[in-house]
Every structure is written in structure tokens, then in C-alpha cells.
Amino acid sequence: RKEVEQDPGPFNVPEGATVAFNCTYSNSASQSFFWYRQDCRKEPKLLMSVYSSGNEDGRFTAQLNRASQYISLLIRDSKLSDSATYLCVVPRGTSYGKLTFGQGTILTVHP
Amino acid sequence: AAGVIQSPRHLIKEKRETATLKCYPIPRHDTVYWYQQGPGQDPQFLISFYEKMQSDKGSIPDRFSAQQFSDYHSELNMSSLELGDSALYFCASSLWVGVNEQYFGPGTRLTVT
């Protein structure tokens, strides 16, 4: 089993839609989790950190289910500018520094 | 807000040549990380430094070396370049090694011909 697994998509949704991505991780000792977004040929940008059961920032909500070892990202009222690849990221075990990336979920928001 | 700076942004080298990539972390960040992202792949951790000492090592080839200097900038030295080294190389920085939020620079696109 890969350390971090995501549904690669692509997800194609209309503007205004609500879309959710799931991510599963293998290391039950992981304490923190991140969602990054990456636009084509650009650097990953930190979208959200998750340390407890979840986090919310405007239209974005992340939820953590430790028992099932998955993290979800919910985007409400999708905008065209939300089109990107969303990366689920987990520090490797309890070792700081080594971030393990999922393969990314591609989101395209269309008019 | 100041971000991570990487130079050069693009680099073209021939096989067996050497390359040096530079990274300037966000001010007051003392930890830097290097990642390699091949086409269509997710970023792979190479190496990290905290307070000028190597703090962790990932899948970095022996042909590569890196260091962090007294001003906290870091350089990734790559020798005997191979075609497979063509990739985006990202540097990220964090406030200190115990903080997991990493902020990425714009990357250096290395093409080996």
C-alpha cells in the first residue's frame, strides 16, 4: 500500500459546485496533514494544515478521520480559479521534514 | 510577504556536466528542504538541512550533494548529470525543523540533453 493515496481524478465540475477529494494514508502514527495545490509547472502552495479533526478556511474544509486513516478536502462554491492539482501531504511518520505527497487529484472547474 | 527564492529558474545542461542550484529561504526560516519532481510525478524528498546540518535524507543520488550556509541559503550540487535528472527541483523552507508547514520556492527546471 502506498504511503499516501489519492483518487487522481480528473474531477470536472461546473462553477458553483461542491466537490470533495479523499486521501488515505498508511502510517497511523502521523500527527499532521496538509493539502497543497499545484498549478501546472508551478510550485506546490500550502492550502490547509490539519492537526486535529478538521480545519475550515472560507470555502475550503478539511476533515480528518484517524480511525479510518483518511483526510478529505471539501470545496464549496467552486471557482474557475480553483482548477489545479490538489496534493494530499503527510509527514513521513513522526520524522519532521520528510513530506510524502499523494499523486494529486486534478480538478477542472468549467463555466 | 517574502517567499523562497530559487536560482536559476531554468537550466540546460548536457550529460555528464555539473549543475548548482541555489535556494534562499524565507527570512527567519532556518530549515530548508529539496525536492525533485519528474514529469507527471509527485515531488520526492531529497534532503533537508536545519541550522546548517543535514537533518534528513531521502532518495538523493550519490552524485548529488547539498549544504546549507551560515546565512541559511542552500545549494544543491549535481554532478555527472544524466538524462533522468531532468526535472523540476523545488526548495522549501520552514520556520524550524519541528514545524511541518513547508513553503515552496518557484523551482528550478533542469533539462539535461
Side-chain angles (χ1 to χ4, degrees), chain A:
Chain A
R1 181 183 177 185
K2 288 189 70 175
E3 291 182 66
V4 182
E5 288 195 79
Q6 294 181 247
D7 179 350
F11 286 70
N12 293 296
V13 302
E15 274 186 289
T18 295
V19 62
F21 311 135
N22 285 331
C23 166
T24 58
Y25 60 95
S26 61
N27 193 327
S28 59
S30 297
Q31 296 296 313
S32 54
F33 309 87
F34 306 93
W35 284 100
Y36 282 76
R37 69 168 279 168
Q38 186 172 29
D39 295 283
C40 187
R41 294 173 174 261
K42 294 195 174 180
E43 74 273 23
K45 292 187 177 177
L46 181 62
L47 183 64
M48 190 168 291
S49 305
V50 184
Y51 287 97
S52 57
S53 61
N55 194 4
E56 184 171 336
D57 183 6
R59 299 182 294 109
F60 299 84
T61 300
Q63 289 195 319
L64 169 63
N65 184 317
R66 290 189 187 276
S68 302
Q69 293 182 212
Y70 80 79
I71 317 115
S72 64
L73 178 68
L74 182 77
I75 305 176
R76 290 181 297 275
D77 189 23
S78 299
K79 311 291 185 191
L80 295 177
S81 58
D82 293 334
S83 298
T85 297
Y86 289 82
L87 300 164
C88 176
V89 182
V90 181
R92 192 165 293 169
T94 55
S95 170
Y96 296 113
K98 284 183 184 176
L99 292 183
T100 300
F101 288 77
Q103 69 269 47
T105 298
I106 298 171
L107 172 65
T108 301
V109 181
H110 57 82

Side-chain angles (χ1 to χ4, degrees), chain B residues 94-109:
Chain B
S94 66
L95 195 54
W96 64 288
V97 71
V99 173
N100 282 311
E101 279 87 353
Q102 296 180 20
Y103 298 89
F104 284 74
T108 294
R109 182 171 295 280

Side-chain angles (χ1 to χ4, degrees), chain B residues 14-34:
Chain B
E14 295 187 355
K15 283 197 308 183
R16 292 180 289 277
E17 285 192 320
T18 60
T20 297
L21 280 52
K22 297 185 179 182
C23 168
Y24 298 85
I26 292 172
R28 296 194 306 279
H29 283 198
D30 59 15
T31 307
V32 296
Y33 312 82
W34 287 97

Side-chain angles (χ1 to χ4, degrees), chain B residues 34-36 44-47 54 57-66 76-82 84-87 89 110:
Chain B
W34 287 97
Y35 292 86
Q36 177 191 60
Q44 296 293 314
F45 172 75
L46 293 178
I47 195 167
Q54 180 182 306
K57 192 172 181 180
S59 52
I60 184 169
D62 292 340
R63 300 177 288 108
F64 294 6
S65 65
L76 177 65
N77 299 294
M78 311 159 73
S79 63
S80 302
L81 287 169
E82 302 173 356
D85 296 329
S86 296
Y89 289 84
L110 173 67

